[in-house]
Amino acid sequence: AKMEQLADKGNGNYAYIDNVREARKVLVNEMGGTLHTIAKDVKIQIEFNPGQVQAYRLIGYENRILAKEDFNDDRKDAGELGAGHTVTALYEVVPHGGEGPSTSVDSLKYQTTEIRSGAYTSAEMMTVKMRFKRPGVERSEAIELLVSDIQLDLKSTTENFRFASAVAEFGLLLRKSDYLANATYGQVIDLARGALGKDEFGYRAEFVRMVETAELLRPGFTSSNDFRSP
């Protein structure tokens, strides 16, 4: 937590190195992106179409959430993006008309939220906005992208998506999240194994081994039936 706070305040990066493989990953393979910043104060804002999405939940990034008023405020500090870096954010979405988590929020007394009629017929699920500053520039630029509702089964999604989903599910298990539902270590391992791809440096295979170790260490692991062949 202290490393993360120092990196955040200093607009830098941090890493936990516990073996030679991790050292090569951080200090060799990813060093170029760490040293060469291509965008600073990067902010992302998402507006879901209420005609398509009844409820949503961001998985992770709890300490990175900004107030909506901060998105257009260039004085607010945000994260940096290095060359070759990617950022993945996962949302759990309840489609309009589906069964979402129950809420006990009272209706507003002085105002109402009106949903435009076109929202229900639009194929747009959400609008993604990104604001960033180029290095050496203090005025931000904005990019906007519309995302349509394209329904795919899990096997038809990309390897990157499936692997990211496995990592997120593993995080929920470790934190004993209230939103675990039917998540299991076995499901994480199977999902990650099916999304290894080329795995040039073996990082994804290492993640699978880490999940297998965590499964063995979990309380109550006694049944030999929990083992699965590769």
Side-chain angles (χ1 to χ4, degrees), residues 1-15 63-64 77-80:
K2 184 177 292 185
M3 291 171 62
E4 182 181 6
Q5 187 176 16
L6 288 170
D8 185 37
K9 297 298 182 182
N11 289 330
N13 293 274
Y14 71 97
N63 60 344
R64 294 291 184 177
D77 184 60
E80 274 59 53

Coordinates of all heavy atoms in Angstrom, one line a residue, residues 1-15 63-64 77-80:
A1 N 0.8 -1.2 0.0 CA 0.0 0.0 0.0 C 0.9 1.3 0.0 O 0.5 2.2 -0.7 CB -0.9 0.0 1.2
K2 N 2.0 1.2 0.7 CA 2.9 2.4 0.8 C 3.5 2.6 -0.6 O 3.7 3.7 -1.0 CB 3.9 2.2 1.9 CG 4.8 3.4 2.1 CD 5.8 3.2 3.2 CE 5.1 3.2 4.5 NZ 6.0 3.1 5.7
M3 N 3.9 1.5 -1.2 CA 4.6 1.6 -2.6 C 3.6 2.2 -3.6 O 3.9 3.1 -4.4 CB 5.0 0.3 -3.0 CG 6.2 -0.3 -2.3 SD 6.5 -2.0 -2.7 CE 6.9 -1.9 -4.4
E4 N 2.3 1.8 -3.5 CA 1.3 2.3 -4.4 C 1.1 3.8 -4.2 O 1.0 4.6 -5.1 CB 0.0 1.6 -4.2 CG -1.1 2.0 -5.2 CD -2.4 1.3 -5.0 OE1 -2.5 0.5 -4.0 OE2 -3.3 1.5 -5.8
Q5 N 1.1 4.2 -2.9 CA 0.8 5.6 -2.6 C 2.0 6.5 -3.0 O 1.8 7.6 -3.6 CB 0.6 5.8 -1.1 CG 0.2 7.2 -0.7 CD -0.1 7.3 0.8 OE1 0.3 6.4 1.6 NE2 -0.7 8.3 1.3
L6 N 3.2 6.0 -2.8 CA 4.4 6.8 -3.3 C 4.4 6.9 -4.8 O 4.6 8.0 -5.4 CB 5.7 6.1 -2.9 CG 6.0 6.2 -1.4 CD1 7.1 5.2 -1.0 CD2 6.3 7.6 -1.0
A7 N 4.1 5.8 -5.5 CA 4.0 5.9 -7.0 C 2.9 6.8 -7.5 O 3.1 7.6 -8.4 CB 3.8 4.5 -7.6
D8 N 1.8 6.8 -6.8 CA 0.6 7.6 -7.2 C 1.0 9.1 -7.0 O 0.7 9.9 -7.9 CB -0.6 7.2 -6.3 CG -1.8 8.0 -6.7 OD1 -2.0 8.2 -8.0 OD2 -2.6 8.3 -5.9
K9 N 1.6 9.5 -5.9 CA 1.9 10.9 -5.6 C 3.0 11.4 -6.5 O 3.1 12.5 -6.8 CB 2.2 11.0 -4.1 CG 1.1 10.7 -3.1 CD -0.1 11.6 -3.3 CE -1.2 11.3 -2.3 NZ -2.4 12.2 -2.5
G10 N 3.9 10.4 -6.9 CA 5.1 10.9 -7.7 C 4.9 10.6 -9.1 O 5.8 10.7 -9.9
N11 N 3.7 10.3 -9.6 CA 3.4 10.0 -11.0 C 4.4 8.9 -11.5 O 4.9 9.1 -12.6 CB 3.5 11.3 -11.8 CG 2.3 12.2 -11.6 OD1 1.2 11.8 -11.2 ND2 2.6 13.5 -11.7
G12 N 4.6 7.9 -10.7 CA 5.5 6.8 -11.1 C 4.8 5.5 -11.2 O 3.6 5.4 -11.3
N13 N 5.6 4.4 -11.1 CA 5.2 3.1 -11.1 C 5.8 2.3 -10.0 O 6.9 2.7 -9.5 CB 5.5 2.4 -12.5 CG 4.7 3.0 -13.6 OD1 3.6 2.6 -13.9 ND2 5.4 3.9 -14.3
Y14 N 5.2 1.2 -9.6 CA 5.8 0.4 -8.6 C 5.6 -1.1 -9.0 O 4.7 -1.4 -9.8 CB 5.1 0.6 -7.2 CG 3.7 0.1 -7.1 CD1 3.4 -1.1 -6.5 CD2 2.6 0.8 -7.6 CE1 2.1 -1.6 -6.4 CE2 1.3 0.4 -7.5 CZ 1.1 -0.9 -6.9 OH -0.2 -1.4 -6.9
A15 N 6.5 -2.0 -8.4 CA 6.4 -3.4 -8.7 C 6.9 -4.2 -7.5 O 7.8 -3.7 -6.8 CB 7.2 -3.7 -10.0
N63 N -9.9 2.5 -5.4 CA -9.1 3.7 -5.0 C -8.8 4.6 -6.1 O -7.9 5.5 -6.0 CB -7.9 3.2 -4.2 CG -7.0 2.4 -5.1 OD1 -7.4 1.9 -6.2 ND2 -5.7 2.2 -4.7
R64 N -9.3 4.4 -7.3 CA -9.1 5.2 -8.5 C -10.3 6.0 -9.0 O -10.2 6.6 -10.0 CB -8.5 4.3 -9.6 CG -7.2 3.6 -9.3 CD -6.1 4.7 -9.3 NE -4.8 4.1 -9.2 CZ -3.6 4.7 -9.2 NH1 -3.7 6.0 -9.3 NH2 -2.5 4.1 -9.0
D77 N -5.4 15.5 -10.7 CA -4.3 14.6 -11.1 C -4.9 13.2 -11.3 O -5.9 12.8 -10.7 CB -3.3 14.5 -9.9 CG -2.1 13.6 -10.3 OD1 -1.4 13.9 -11.3 OD2 -1.9 12.6 -9.6
A78 N -4.4 12.5 -12.3 CA -4.8 11.2 -12.6 C -3.6 10.4 -13.0 O -2.5 10.8 -12.9 CB -5.9 11.2 -13.7
G79 N -3.8 9.2 -13.6 CA -2.7 8.2 -13.9 C -2.0 8.5 -15.2 O -2.5 9.2 -16.0
E80 N -0.8 8.0 -15.3 CA 0.0 8.1 -16.5 C 0.0 6.8 -17.3 O -0.2 5.7 -16.7 CB 1.5 8.4 -16.1 CG 1.8 9.9 -15.9 CD 0.9 10.5 -14.8 OE1 0.9 10.0 -13.7 OE2 0.3 11.6 -15.1

